[in-house]
Amino acid sequence: MFSIEEFIKQYQNLSNPDKNISQEANKYILKLQQTREAFTVAQQILDQQYIQQEYQFIACQLIYRRLKEECDITIQPYLLNLLGRPLSNIALNQVCSSFAVIIVGNSQLWKGILQELIQLMKVKMPIGIEILNQIAIQSKECHSKKEQQKLQLEFQTQESILSEIFLSLLCVQDLNIFKQTISCIESWVQFSYRLFKDSKLIQQIIVLIQHALQNNALEYSDKLFSLLYEAVAYSQFNKNQITEDIVQQNLILMLEFILKIYNPQISVMFASFATKFICDFYPIIQNTQYEEPVLNMMVNIVNNPQRKIVFQTFEFWSQMRQNNLIQGVVLKILQCLIDRCKVKSIKLTKQSLLGESEDEDDYFNKTDYESKDNNISTSDFREHCKEIFISIYKNVEQINQTNSFFQIILSNLVITNPESTEQIIKSEAALFCLCSIIDETDFQINNQLVLQIIQFVLQLPNNQNYDIIVKTTLQMFSGLTNQINLNNELLLQITKYFFQYMLHPLLGSLAGVAFEQISNNSELINQQLISDCVLFLEQHFNDFINQSQLNSFVEGILKLCYRIYSKGNIDCIIQLFNFANNQFQLLKNINLLTKQQFTYINTLIIAILTWINSNIEEINTQVKQISDLLCSSISEPLINLFKESQNLSNNDELYQLVRMIMKVSNYQNHSQSIIQLLQISFQIFYQNPTQKYQWLQLITIAIGRSQEYQFISQWTIQNSQQIHQFCIEQYKLWRDSDLMKIYVEFVKECTRYCQQALFQSPYLFLIMEIISDAFLTLNSYEMQREILNFFKTLSQFIEKGQDYFNQIVIQIVTTLFLSISIINRAIIFQIIQILQFILKKDISSDELKELIYQTLLKSWGANKSPQQVQLVSQAILHYLKKTGDNGLNRELKLLLQNLREMGEEEIDYMHLEKVIKQQ
C-alpha cells in the first residue's frame, strides 16, 4: 500500500494549488504515520545514496512522528547508525529528537543515559547536547501528568551528573557550543532542574557574566541573563517561604551580584531578569539590609533613558502597590514615567485617535538605543503606565499627600512658546497621567490644583500645534463628567470647549463622545447649557463631521432637554422641534439640497421621533401635540418627495423616518397621509421585495393600531389579499427567509388586529401551507422563531366550529412534529405553549394524540418501533394535560429536547410507561 515512490509523490502534492489534491496528500501522509510501514519507507529513503537533503529531513521527521505515535525501541540501532552518516544539521536534530522520544518512553533507559551522553559528547559534542536538550523537551510533552512527574523525580536524583555536564560544557571556548548549552540548560530548567540549588553552577554563571561584561560581550551576558530569567520563572521553590538553606544562600548570592553589576548602561535582558528575580523573591529582600539598595536600584532602572528598559520594571512597581513606599520614591517614578510617555511626533491622525499602533520614534536621542529591540511603541508603553500611575496615586493617597501628585502634573504644564514641540508633548504627557487615574481613583475635581490643571487647558488658544493636548484633554473630560456638574461655571466653560472642537475633522469625534458623556449624567440639569447646545445645533447644523456625530449630539441634547422637561420646562423641546420642522420643510425643494443636507435633516427628525417613542408614556399632552404637529408637518413634503422621485437612491434612509412616523403619530389627525404612506410602502416593497422587505414591516406596524383607528382596518381588508398573493408568489420564486420572516409578522398582526384580512381570505390555507413549508425547509432561527410566535397567536384566535379550524390545527401540529428532530432547543418552550393553547380549544385528546403519533412516525420515528413512537405520543399528551396553567412542564420540555437529533440523553421508555400508567 505504501511505497517510497508514492510517498515522495504525495509529499510533492502537499504544495499543489488544487486543494483536493493537497488534502488527499495530507491524508496519505497522516495515515502512513499511523502504521509501522512509516519506518520502512523512511529507511528506504535514507538508505538511498544520492538522496536530496530535503528528503533526508522528511524521512527523519517521519520516523520522529511515528515514534510519537508508538515508541518502538527496536529502531534505536538504526538511529545510532544515522548519527554516523553525513546528514544535514536539521535532519540530525530530528534524529536526536527521535532518540529522546525513545529514552523518555522507556524507563529502563533513564538510569544510565546521562553517562552514555557524556561519552557521546566526547566524540560528537553538538549531537550529545542536542539529545540531552531533547530529553527535557520531550519529557515536558509527556501526555500523562503522572509519567511526567516520575521523569522529574528520576532526573532530580541525577542533578549532580547534570551539573557536571553543564559545568563542563560552559567551559568550552566556542560560541555555538555556548549557545547550544544555554538552550539545553533552559530546557532542563523549564522541565525539572533546580538551578538555584546548584551552588557550583550559579557561581560559574556569575563568573561568566562578569567576564562577558568586562569584555563588553553583551551577546554572552544576555544569553546568561535569559537563562536566569527562566530559572526564576520556573522555580519550584515556595517563593513566599524559602526553607532550604542552600537555596536561600544562592538567592542572596545572586541578589548581591545583581546589585553589584548594575550600571546605567545595563541591557534590557538584565533589567528583565533583575525585575523578575526581585518580584518573585521579594520575601528574602523585604525588611532586610537589601531592601533599600534594591529600591534605589529599581528607581535608577526606571530612570534609564531607554524606554524598553523602563518597561521591564513595571511588574515591580505594580507589585509595590501594597507597600507604603516613601513619598520621595514614588514621586520620582511619577516624573520619570511622565518623561518617558513623551512622543517625538505630535502629528494627529485617525490612527492615533483610534489608538492604533503607528511608527513612532522615542522622544530621546537615537544614540540612547542602537537597535530596534531596545525600543517600544508609545501606545504600548502608555497602556502599562496607567497601572503604575494608579499605584502611585493610591500610595500617596494613603499618606495624605495627593497634592504632591497634582503639583508634579501642574509643574509639567508649561508652554511659553506655542512652537515648542518639547513643551507641548511634556504637557500632554502630564495630562495623560491625570487622565489615567480618573476611572480608578476618587480624587475630587474641586481640588484647587486640579482646577488649575483644568483651567490651563481651557485657556489654551485654538492652535493646531496643541491638537495632541486637546485629544488627551477631551478623553480626560469624558471621565470627569460625573463631577463637572458640581461647578456650573466650569460646566459651561467645558461645554464651550467641546463646541470649540466639535467640528474639527479629527478631534470632533472625541468632542462628541465627551459631550455625550456629559449628557448621560443623570444629575445634570442646567437651562443655560441646553440653550447653548440648541443654539450651537442651529448655527452649525450642516457643519458636523458626519451623520453619526450629528446623531450623537442630537441624542445628547434630547437627554438634557428631558431632564428640564421633567421639571416642568418644555421651552427647549419646543425650540428643538421647531428647528427640526423648519429644516424638514426644506425638502420641498429637494433639488436644492446636497445629499449631506438631506441625510442630516433626516437624521435630526428620526432622533427626535425615536426619543418620543422611547418616552411616550411619560410625555405630557402638550408635548404629544407638538410631536404630532411635527409628524403632520413633515408628512406632506415627505409624500411629495416619494411621488416626485420614483427611484430614490436614499429610500433606505427614509425608511427609518417613515417607521418612526408610523410609531408615534396620532393617525386620526392625518389619516389621508398615513394611507398614502402605506401605499408608498407597499409600492417600494413591490418593486424589490427581497431587498426592501422592511417596507412591508411599516404596514405591519400600522396594522397593530387597527383597533384604535378604523380606517387602518379598512385599508388592510382592502389591500391584504393583494399583499398575500404577492408574498406567496415571491416565496415560491425566491424562498428568502428574511422576506418570509417579515411576511409572517404581517400575517400575525392581521390575526391579532384584523382577523377578517386572514380568516376570510381565499388564500388562507395556501398561506398556512407556505409558512409551514418555510419552517420545515429554510434554515433560519429568526424566521422559525417568528413563525412559532405566529402559530402561538393563531392558536389563541382560531375558533372551534369554524370551517378552517380542523385544517389549521392539523397544519400547525404536523409542522411542529415534522420538524421536531431538527428544531433549535431554544424554542422548544414555544412549541409547548402552542400545544397548550390548542388543547384548550376542547379538541379531542385522542385525535390530537393520533395526529402527533402519525407525524412522529414520518419524522423522528422513522428508525424507531411503532410501540416506542406510540409511547412518546401518549407521554407528550399526558405531560400537556398535567401542565395546565401552572407553567412549563420540565419533563415535557426534556422529552421534546430528546426527540432532537442532538438530544441531551436517551429516552427512558420504561419511565414513560410508568408515567402513563399512573394517570
Side-chain angles (χ1 to χ4, degrees):
M1 180 180 177
F2 299 102
S3 67
I4 179 174
E5 295 79 11
E6 184 64 19
F7 173 75
I8 291 175
K9 175 186 172 184
Q10 295 295 346
Y11 171 70
Q12 291 170 340
N13 282 341
L14 288 174
S15 56
N16 194 300
D18 187 328
K19 282 189 175 180
N20 291 329
I21 294 176
S22 61
Q23 286 173 358
E24 284 302 314
N26 190 50
K27 288 179 184 177
Y28 173 90
I29 292 171
L30 288 174
K31 193 170 183 180
L32 174 59
Q33 285 175 193
Q34 294 169 0
T35 70
R36 289 191 55 79
E37 291 179 69
F39 293 139
T40 305
V41 172
Q43 288 178 36
Q44 287 174 353
I45 294 173
L46 290 166
D47 290 345
Q48 289 188 13
Q49 190 170 2
Y50 300 109
I51 194 69
Q52 296 177 27
Q53 286 190 354
E54 179 183 5
Y55 293 119
Q56 283 182 349
F57 170 71
I58 292 302
C60 292
Q61 189 180 58
L62 189 59
I63 292 173
Y64 168 72
R65 289 182 174 173
R66 175 59 200 153
L67 285 170
K68 292 288 281 187
E69 294 277 344
E70 180 185 0
C71 183
D72 186 352
I73 198 170
T74 62
I75 200 172
Q76 186 179 7
Y78 184 74
L79 293 178
L80 192 59
N81 177 268
L82 286 178
L83 292 179
R85 295 191 191 180
L87 299 178
S88 65
N89 286 336
I90 59 170
L92 279 173
N93 285 344
Q94 201 71 63
V95 175
C96 293
S97 299
S98 297
F99 254 116
V101 172
I102 291 174
I103 292 164
V104 169
N106 294 274
S107 56
Q108 67 271 26
L109 300 177
W110 297 351
K111 282 287 182 188
I113 191 60
L114 295 183
Q115 293 294 349
E116 290 182 25
L117 287 177
I118 290 173
Q119 297 306 315
L120 179 60
M121 287 178 197
K122 292 177 181 178
V123 183
K124 294 185 176 181
M125 186 174 290
I127 290 176
I129 298 172
E130 183 58 27
I131 294 174
L132 182 62
N133 181 38
Q134 285 296 326
I135 290 173
I137 292 172
Q138 299 303 326
S139 298
K140 283 190 296 181
E141 295 178 0
C142 277
H143 297 302
S144 165
K145 193 72 176 174
K146 186 177 179 182
E147 197 68 22
Q148 190 181 91
Q149 289 172 346
K150 281 172 63 179
L151 277 163
Q152 285 177 330
L153 291 172
E154 174 59 40
F155 283 111
Q156 281 176 4
T157 65
Q158 301 185 54
E159 281 185 342
S160 60
I161 304 175
L162 279 169
S163 179
E164 290 176 16
I165 294 173
F166 296 151
L167 285 168
S168 299
L169 291 174
L170 287 174
C171 293
V172 177
Q173 299 296 311
D174 182 298
L175 180 58
N176 290 328
I177 294 295
F178 172 77
K179 289 180 179 178
Q180 195 181 4
T181 300
I182 296 299
S183 179
C184 180
I185 300 174
E186 280 186 353
S187 296
W188 277 96
V189 162
Q190 292 168 6
F191 172 53
S192 69
Y193 193 69
R194 297 169 294 185
L195 181 60
F196 290 113
K197 198 172 181 180
D198 188 341
S199 299
K200 290 183 179 179
L201 191 53
I202 288 290
Q203 290 169 359
Q204 178 67 13
I205 290 171
I206 288 174
V207 169
L208 289 172
I209 292 174
Q210 286 176 323
H211 183 72
L213 292 177
Q214 287 168 4
N215 292 279
N216 200 29
L218 295 182
E219 186 175 8
Y220 279 89
S221 59
D222 275 357
K223 283 283 182 186
L224 293 163
F225 287 138
S226 176
L227 168 60
L228 290 171
Y229 182 95
E230 294 298 311
V232 175
Y234 286 89
S235 172
Q236 298 173 19
F237 303 111
N238 186 325
K239 296 173 183 180
N240 292 320
Q241 190 177 6
I242 301 165
T243 55
E244 293 188 60
D245 290 341
I246 188 66
V247 174
Q248 190 159 3
Q249 289 170 16
N250 286 332
L251 292 176
I252 294 295
L253 179 66
M254 185 56 66
L255 175 61
E256 291 175 343
F257 177 65
I258 290 170
L259 293 170
K260 178 182 176 182
I261 64 172
Y262 168 77
N263 68 74
Q265 284 75 46
I266 60 170
S267 68
V268 173
M269 203 59 241
F270 169 81
S272 179
F273 156 62
T275 301
K276 183 69 174 171
F277 183 91
I278 291 168
C279 285
D280 282 22
F281 296 118
Y282 200 73
I284 69 167
I285 299 167
Q286 195 169 26
N287 301 321
T288 68
Q289 66 190 65
Y290 300 105
E291 188 166 31
E292 187 174 348
V294 163
L295 197 58
N296 288 332
M297 183 185 72
M298 296 306 294
V299 170
N300 288 331
I301 295 178
V302 86
N303 274 283
N304 192 284
Q306 292 186 31
R307 205 160 52 182
K308 186 75 173 179
I309 289 177
V310 176
F311 186 75
Q312 306 309 312
T313 69
F314 283 3
E315 182 183 356
F316 176 75
W317 297 115
S318 294
Q319 182 174 301
M320 289 296 102
R321 176 180 289 193
Q322 306 303 323
N323 291 52
N324 293 322
L325 299 178
I326 55 174
Q327 179 188 347
V329 171
V330 294
L331 295 181
K332 282 182 184 178
I333 306 305
L334 175 63
Q335 183 60 60
C336 169
L337 294 187
I338 290 174
D339 289 339
R340 300 304 178 272
C341 277
K342 294 188 294 188
V343 290
K344 184 175 183 180
S345 169
I346 61 168
K347 182 180 178 183
L348 202 64
T349 64
K350 287 184 179 179
Q351 287 75 20
S352 69
L353 284 171
L354 295 172
E356 296 176 3
S357 60
E358 53 182 331
D359 293 332
E360 299 175 329
D361 290 328
D362 194 278
Y363 175 73
F364 302 95
N365 295 329
K366 289 191 175 182
T367 54
D368 289 331
Y369 56 91
E370 296 298 330
S371 69
K372 192 175 181 181
D373 291 339
N374 283 339
N375 195 15
I376 183 170
S377 73
T378 299
S379 57
D380 286 346
F381 188 85
R382 286 190 165 198
E383 189 60 34
H384 289 81
C385 275
K386 287 180 180 180
E387 188 176 348
I388 315 302
F389 288 143
I390 294 165
S391 296
I392 293 172
Y393 183 82
K394 289 189 173 180
N395 195 289
V396 295
E397 190 177 41
Q398 288 178 353
I399 55 176
N400 297 318
Q401 294 293 333
T402 55
N403 279 352
S404 300
F405 185 97
F406 297 131
Q407 187 61 58
I408 287 180
I409 293 175
L410 191 59
S411 65
N412 283 274
L413 302 178
V414 178
I415 302 178
T416 57
N417 178 7
E419 302 298 323
S420 171
T421 299
E422 182 177 356
Q423 291 181 356
I424 290 171
I425 59 176
K426 185 176 182 182
S427 297
E428 187 276 333
L431 289 169
F432 168 76
C433 172
L434 182 61
C435 188
S436 298
I437 69 170
I438 287 173
D439 291 335
E440 299 290 335
T441 59
D442 295 326
F443 79 85
Q444 298 299 310
I445 198 173
N446 56 7
N447 180 293
Q448 287 304 310
L449 291 171
V450 176
L451 289 173
Q452 287 181 51
I453 294 169
I454 293 173
Q455 288 301 326
F456 166 81
V457 291
L458 291 177
Q459 291 168 12
L460 285 177
N462 192 340
N463 184 318
Q464 185 177 355
N465 291 347
Y466 298 150
D467 281 356
I468 192 71
I469 290 181
V470 176
K471 172 193 170 184
T472 302
T473 301
L474 289 170
Q475 292 171 325
M476 180 178 73
F477 284 152
S478 293
L480 284 173
T481 49
N482 288 332
Q483 295 188 44
I484 290 174
N485 66 305
L486 300 174
N487 186 322
N488 279 337
E489 183 181 347
L490 187 60
L491 171 65
L492 296 174
Q493 282 183 283
I494 290 176
T495 305
K496 289 176 181 177
Y497 183 84
F498 295 159
F499 292 163
Q500 188 176 349
Y501 296 99
M502 191 71 70
L503 309 178
H504 190 287
L506 290 176
L507 294 168
S509 297
L510 281 176
V513 170
F515 174 74
E516 188 177 355
Q517 291 295 98
I518 277 193
S519 307
N520 289 336
N521 187 342
S522 59
E523 298 178 3
L524 183 56
I525 301 174
N526 189 297
Q527 176 75 39
Q528 183 62 47
L529 170 65
I530 299 172
S531 298
D532 288 349
C533 292
V534 176
L535 180 63
F536 182 83
L537 178 68
E538 292 175 350
Q539 292 175 342
H540 301 285
F541 181 66
N542 290 308
D543 300 325
F544 279 84
I545 300 164
N546 54 46
Q547 181 183 4
S548 175
Q549 190 200 18
L550 172 65
N551 188 61
S552 295
F553 187 73
V554 173
E555 287 181 357
I557 292 176
L558 285 164
K559 289 174 185 175
L560 296 173
C561 286
Y562 181 72
R563 297 195 192 107
I564 294 290
Y565 158 75
S566 64
K567 299 295 182 182
N569 186 332
I570 65 170
D571 293 345
C572 292
I573 290 180
I574 293 174
Q575 183 183 354
L576 190 61
F577 282 19
N578 287 337
F579 172 70
N581 185 36
N582 292 336
Q583 286 294 314
F584 204 85
Q585 299 312 308
L586 297 176
L587 292 182
K588 292 177 180 177
N589 299 311
I590 190 171
N591 294 328
L592 301 179
L593 295 178
T594 65
K595 187 177 188 310
Q596 177 182 294
Q597 287 174 316
F598 174 84
T599 300
Y600 281 16
I601 292 170
N602 206 41
T603 299
L604 174 65
I605 302 291
I606 290 171
I608 292 174
L609 295 183
T610 302
W611 174 80
I612 293 170
N613 184 57
S614 300
N615 299 282
I616 195 73
E617 301 298 327
E618 301 172 32
I619 292 176
N620 65 24
T621 304
Q622 188 176 0
V623 174
K624 284 182 182 177
Q625 290 172 349
I626 296 169
S627 69
D628 199 55
L629 284 173
L630 180 62
C631 289
S632 301
S633 177
I634 64 178
S635 292
E636 182 183 346
L638 182 60
I639 291 167
N640 291 335
L641 182 62
F642 280 117
K643 287 179 178 178
E644 292 172 8
S645 307
Q646 294 299 319
N647 297 310
L648 282 173
S649 61
N650 46 19
N651 61 21
D652 284 337
E653 296 178 23
L654 290 173
Y655 161 75
Q656 287 294 339
L657 178 57
V658 178
R659 184 172 183 270
M660 295 316 303
I661 290 174
M662 292 288 191
K663 278 183 171 289
V664 306
S665 288
N666 181 345
Y667 288 6
Q668 202 65 52
N669 294 338
H670 49 288
S671 58
Q672 195 59 40
S673 297
I674 294 295
I675 288 176
Q676 287 180 294
L677 287 175
L678 290 173
Q679 294 293 144
I680 290 167
S681 298
F682 183 60
Q683 182 183 356
I684 295 174
F685 167 66
Y686 186 87
Q687 290 169 354
N688 193 347
T690 56
Q691 292 186 5
K692 306 294 184 184
Y693 48 78
Q694 67 266 40
W695 288 85
L696 178 60
Q697 199 168 44
L698 299 181
I699 298 172
T700 304
I701 291 170
I703 292 173
R705 304 180 73 176
S706 294
Q707 292 179 336
E708 189 179 354
Y709 303 105
Q710 186 62 35
F711 75 91
I712 294 292
S713 181
Q714 292 172 352
W715 183 90
T716 304
I717 293 168
Q718 292 169 6
N719 293 274
S720 60
Q721 305 317 312
Q722 185 183 1
I723 295 173
H724 287 314
Q725 181 183 13
F726 181 69
C727 289
I728 291 169
E729 290 173 355
Q730 291 302 309
Y731 172 74
K732 291 178 178 179
L733 182 63
W734 299 107
R735 298 180 65 78
D736 186 301
S737 61
D738 293 325
L739 171 60
M740 197 63 192
K741 174 181 177 295
I742 302 300
Y743 174 58
V744 172
E745 286 183 26
F746 167 79
V747 178
K748 182 184 70 177
E749 291 303 280
C750 287
T751 306
R752 293 173 65 190
Y753 301 111
C754 191
Q755 288 86 20
Q756 190 175 346
L758 178 64
F759 293 131
Q760 294 182 18
S761 170
Y763 301 105
L764 173 61
F765 298 128
L766 189 54
I767 293 168
M768 290 298 300
E769 184 181 319
I770 67 119
I771 289 176
S772 296
D773 183 74
F775 190 86
L776 293 169
T777 61
L778 300 185
N779 184 21
S780 168
Y781 172 73
E782 294 295 330
M783 181 202 69
Q784 286 187 332
R785 187 174 60 181
E786 191 56 48
I787 290 176
L788 287 180
N789 282 330
F790 163 61
F791 283 168
K792 189 161 58 176
T793 301
L794 187 61
S795 60
Q796 294 174 73
F797 280 91
I798 54 176
E799 296 180 16
K800 191 173 182 182
Q802 296 291 337
D803 293 341
Y804 58 73
F805 181 81
N806 286 338
Q807 192 165 341
I808 286 180
V809 169
I810 291 170
Q811 188 80 58
I812 292 174
V813 175
T814 302
T815 301
L816 295 180
F817 285 98
L818 279 177
S819 62
I820 198 70
S821 62
I822 57 172
I823 202 78
N824 189 303
R825 71 188 300 276
I827 51 181
I828 289 288
F829 77 97
Q830 289 183 291
I831 292 176
I832 296 174
Q833 289 180 318
I834 293 166
L835 294 172
Q836 284 179 288
F837 284 128
I838 289 174
L839 201 59
K840 288 178 181 178
K841 296 296 179 179
D842 295 327
I843 67 171
S844 166
S845 297
D846 290 338
E847 289 179 4
L848 181 58
K849 180 176 65 179
E850 182 63 22
L851 180 57
I852 294 172
Y853 168 68
Q854 294 296 336
T855 309
L856 283 178
L857 273 177
K858 297 176 185 176
S859 56
W860 170 80
N863 300 318
K864 306 288 188 303
S865 69
Q867 292 80 6
Q868 289 175 321
V869 180
Q870 184 74 39
L871 198 58
V872 168
S873 304
Q874 290 176 316
I876 289 172
L877 201 66
H878 168 73
Y879 287 137
L880 272 174
K881 290 179 178 179
K882 188 176 178 182
T883 300
D885 295 324
N886 298 324
L888 296 179
N889 185 289
R890 183 180 175 277
E891 290 183 277
L892 176 57
K893 183 179 177 183
L894 184 61
L895 176 58
L896 293 178
Q897 286 176 350
N898 288 333
L899 297 179
R900 297 165 63 244
E901 290 176 353
M902 302 295 290
E904 278 75 6
E905 55 189 64
E906 287 293 322
I907 294 174
D908 186 345
Y909 295 102
M910 292 181 63
H911 172 71
L912 293 183
E913 198 168 356
K914 285 182 183 178
V915 167
I916 294 167
K917 286 180 179 178
Q918 289 172 359
Q919 64 180 347

